[in-house]
C-alpha cells in the first residue's frame, strides 16, 4: 500500500513539473526603438511587429516617435533609446564630430526618398514650375531636405536662387503649415500626402525618391558599445527586419495594408492600401538589411551638394553590415 502511495505521489509531482514547464513563458528582451516619424514608408518595421517576427526572435519592441532624425540621435546618445531609425546622415554627422562611441548603422530599411512633392493645383507638373516659388522642405541638413535640393539641382532649379526652400518648419508640422496657407509646395510622407489630397487641400505631383535614385534613406543604428554588449539581440532584430522586408516585397499592397493597419487606426484601409501600392511602385523598401557602399556614397554626394558635409566619412566607419550579412 505504501509503495502504491509513493508511486502515485511521484507521478503527480512529475506531471506537475512537466505541466509547469509547458506553461512557462519565454522571457523576451524589450528593445526601446525611436523612429524618426510614424509613416507607412516604414511598413516592414510595422509588419515585423504585427506579424510576430520580433516575438519569434525573442524580442518585444517598445516604439516611440522621435519627431526628427536629430532627436532620434539624441535619444540614442543619451541612452534613452537602444536603437534609432532615421537617415544614416545622423551617424555620419556624429562620426565626423570625432565622438568615440558614435552609433553605427547595422540594418537598412528603405532605399530611396519616401516623400512626395505636393502642390496646390493638379496641373501637369514640371520642375520649372518651382522657379519663383516657395517649397516647405523640412529641417536643414536632414535627408528629406537635402534630397529635395539635390533633385532640384538635377532638374535645373537652384535652391535659394531660383526657388526658396523653407527649412524653418518642423518635420511633423509641415502638412499643417502648407494646408494653413504657407508655401506653394511641400514635401510630405505617407499617409499624410494622400490624406491632404483626399481633403482637397493639395495634390501629389511627383515622387522625390524616383527622381533621386537609390539612397540609403532610412536605417537602424545603435551605439557601438551597446551592439558589442548585445550582439545576439542585434542579430535577432536584424533577422526579424529581413523577414519582414521579404514579406512586404512579396505580398500585394492590400495584404501589407492589413498587416500594418493597427499602427494607423485613424487611416482608412483603402488609403493604406493605396499608399502601400505607391511605395511598392517606387521600389522604396530595401530587399535585405544590407547597405550598399555605392548607395552610401550617393548619400554623401547629396550631403556635399547641400553644403552639409565638409569631409567624407568612410563607409566602413559608419556601416556595420556583419549582422545583415548573417541573416538567417
Amino acid at each position: 500500500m505504501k509503495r502504491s502511495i509513493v508511486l502515485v505521489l511521484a507521478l503527480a509531482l512529475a506531471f506537475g513539473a512537466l505541466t509547469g514547464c509547458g506553461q512557462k513563458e519565454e522571457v523576451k528582451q524589450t528593445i526601446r526603438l525611436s523612429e524618426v516619424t510614424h509613416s507607412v514608408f516604414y511598413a516592414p518595421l510595422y509588419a515585423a511587429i504585427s506579424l510576430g517576427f520580433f516575438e519569434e526572435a525573442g524580442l518585444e519592441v517598445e516604439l516611440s516617435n522621435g519627431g526628427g532624425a536629430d532627436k532620434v540621435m539624441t535619444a540614442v546618445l543619451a541612452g534613452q533609446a537602444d536603437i534609432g531609425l532615421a537617415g544614416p546622415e545622423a551617424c555620419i554627422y556624429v562620426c565626423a564630430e570625432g565622438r568615440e562611441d558614435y552609433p553605427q548603422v547595422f540594418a537598412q530599411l528603405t532605399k530611396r526618398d519616401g516623400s512626395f512633392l505636393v502642390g496646390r493645383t493638379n496641373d501637369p507638373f514640371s520642375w520649372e514650375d518651382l522657379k519663383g516659388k516657395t517649397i516647405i522642405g523640412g529641417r536643414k541638413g536632414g535627408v528629406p531636405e537635402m534630397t529635395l535640393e539635390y533633385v532640384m539641382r538635377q532638374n535645373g532649379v537652384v535652391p535659394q536662387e531660383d526657388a526658396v526652400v523653407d527649412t524653418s518648419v518642423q518635420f511633423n508640422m509641415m502638412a499643417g503649415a502648407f494646408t494653413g496657407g504657407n508655401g506653394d509646395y511641400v514635401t510630405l510622407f505617407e499617409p499624410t500626402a494622400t490624406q491632404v489630397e483626399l481633403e482637397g487641400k493639395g495634390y501629389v505631383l511627383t515622387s522625390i525618391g524616383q527622381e533621386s535614385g537609390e539612397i540609403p534613406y532610412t536605417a537602424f543604428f545603435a551605439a557601438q558599445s551597446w551592439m558589442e554588449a548585445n550582439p545576439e539581440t542585434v542579430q535577432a532584430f536584424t533577422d526579424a527586419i529581413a523577414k519582414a522586408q521579404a514579406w512586404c516585397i512579396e505580398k500585394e499592397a492590400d495584404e501589407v495594408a492589413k498587416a500594418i493597419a493597427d499602427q494607423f487606426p485613424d487611416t482608412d484601409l483603402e488609403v493604406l492600401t493605396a499608399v502601400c501600392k505607391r511605395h511598392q511602385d517606387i521600389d522604396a523598401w530595401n530587399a535585405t538589411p544590407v547597405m550598399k557602399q555605392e548607395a552610401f556614397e550617393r548619400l554623401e554626394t547629396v550631403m556635399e551638394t547641400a553644403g552639409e558635409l565638409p569631409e567624407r566619412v568612410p563607409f566602413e566607419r559608419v556601416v556595420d553590415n556583419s549582422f545583415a550579412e548573417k541573416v538567417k
Side-chain angles (χ1 to χ4, degrees):
M1 183 69 178
K2 287 183 178 180
R3 293 178 69 182
S4 298
I5 293 173
V6 170
L7 180 60
V8 170
L9 288 173
L11 288 170
L13 289 170
F15 179 76
L18 287 171
T19 304
C21 289
Q23 291 178 341
K24 185 179 179 180
E25 293 184 3
E26 182 183 351
V27 178
K28 293 182 176 61
Q29 182 174 352
T30 300
I31 299 298
R32 298 169 300 166
L33 172 62
S34 177
E35 61 178 351
V36 62
T37 188
H38 200 64
S39 170
V40 183
F41 187 39
Y42 312 133
L45 166 62
Y46 310 135
I49 295 172
S50 63
L51 296 173
F53 297 162
F54 284 123
E55 188 175 7
E56 290 172 8
L59 304 176
E60 182 177 341
V61 173
E62 186 180 281
L63 189 64
S64 63
N65 188 338
D70 53 339
K71 295 180 176 63
V72 170
M73 178 56 76
T74 298
V76 171
L77 292 176
Q80 297 169 346
D82 302 312
I83 296 174
L85 173 64
E89 86 284 356
C91 294
I92 293 174
Y93 289 143
V94 176
C95 177
E97 289 172 0
R99 186 184 181 99
E100 287 188 14
D101 188 22
Y102 61 87
Q104 281 187 316
V105 170
F106 64 86
Q108 182 178 332
L109 185 66
T110 61
K111 65 177 181 180
R112 66 181 71 248
D113 192 312
S115 61
F116 296 85
L117 186 69
V118 176
R120 298 195 179 279
T121 64
N122 199 24
D123 299 330
F125 174 71
S126 166
W127 287 95
E128 289 287 318
D129 299 339
L130 268 57
K131 291 187 174 180
K133 306 293 185 180
T134 297
I135 307 99
I136 301 175
R139 179 180 62 84
K140 183 174 176 57
V143 172
E145 188 271 335
M146 291 190 293
T147 307
L148 169 64
E149 289 199 4
Y150 176 76
V151 171
M152 287 172 63
R153 291 179 186 276
Q154 294 290 101
N155 286 276
V157 183
V158 180
Q160 314 307 358
E161 291 183 16
D162 298 326
V164 175
V165 178
D166 184 355
T167 60
S168 67
V169 183
Q170 290 184 22
F171 186 86
N172 56 355
M173 302 295 289
M174 290 166 64
F178 179 76
T179 57
N182 295 325
D184 303 292
Y185 299 90
V186 64
T187 54
L188 296 176
F189 277 79
E190 295 286 13
T192 308
T194 295
Q195 288 171 335
V196 167
E197 194 170 48
L198 290 174
E199 292 169 2
K201 297 179 179 179
Y203 299 90
V204 175
L205 302 176
T206 188
S207 160
I208 303 297
Q210 281 186 314
E211 296 280 348
S212 66
E214 187 172 331
I215 292 173
Y217 203 77
T218 327
F220 297 100
F221 53 82
Q224 293 174 73
S225 58
W226 188 84
M227 289 196 288
E228 289 169 3
N230 301 276
E232 293 181 358
T233 301
V234 178
Q235 189 64 63
F237 185 95
T238 308
D239 288 346
I241 288 297
K243 188 173 182 179
Q245 286 175 316
W247 189 90
C248 287
I249 290 173
E250 176 189 339
K251 299 299 181 180
E252 296 294 329
D254 60 334
E255 291 183 77
V256 179
K258 288 175 185 175
I260 67 172
D262 60 339
Q263 289 284 334
F264 300 92
D266 299 326
T267 305
D268 186 83
L269 187 59
E270 289 186 9
V271 173
L272 278 181
T273 300
V275 171
C276 288
K277 181 66 166 60
R278 183 170 279 168
H279 285 315
Q280 287 179 333
D281 288 344
I282 68 170
D283 192 24
W285 302 320
N286 222 34
T288 76
V290 175
M291 183 179 291
K292 298 176 183 176
Q293 183 168 346
E294 56 267 32
F296 176 86
E297 290 172 351
R298 182 178 289 116
L299 169 62
E300 291 202 310
T301 297
V302 168
M303 296 171 71
E304 279 182 334
T305 305
E308 296 292 336
L309 185 64
E311 184 178 350
R312 290 204 173 212
V313 176
F315 173 77
E316 59 275 7
R317 288 191 63 195
V318 175
V319 181
D320 181 355
N321 271 330
S322 63
F323 298 97
E325 290 170 347
K326 292 177 186 174
V327 162
K328 298 177 184 178

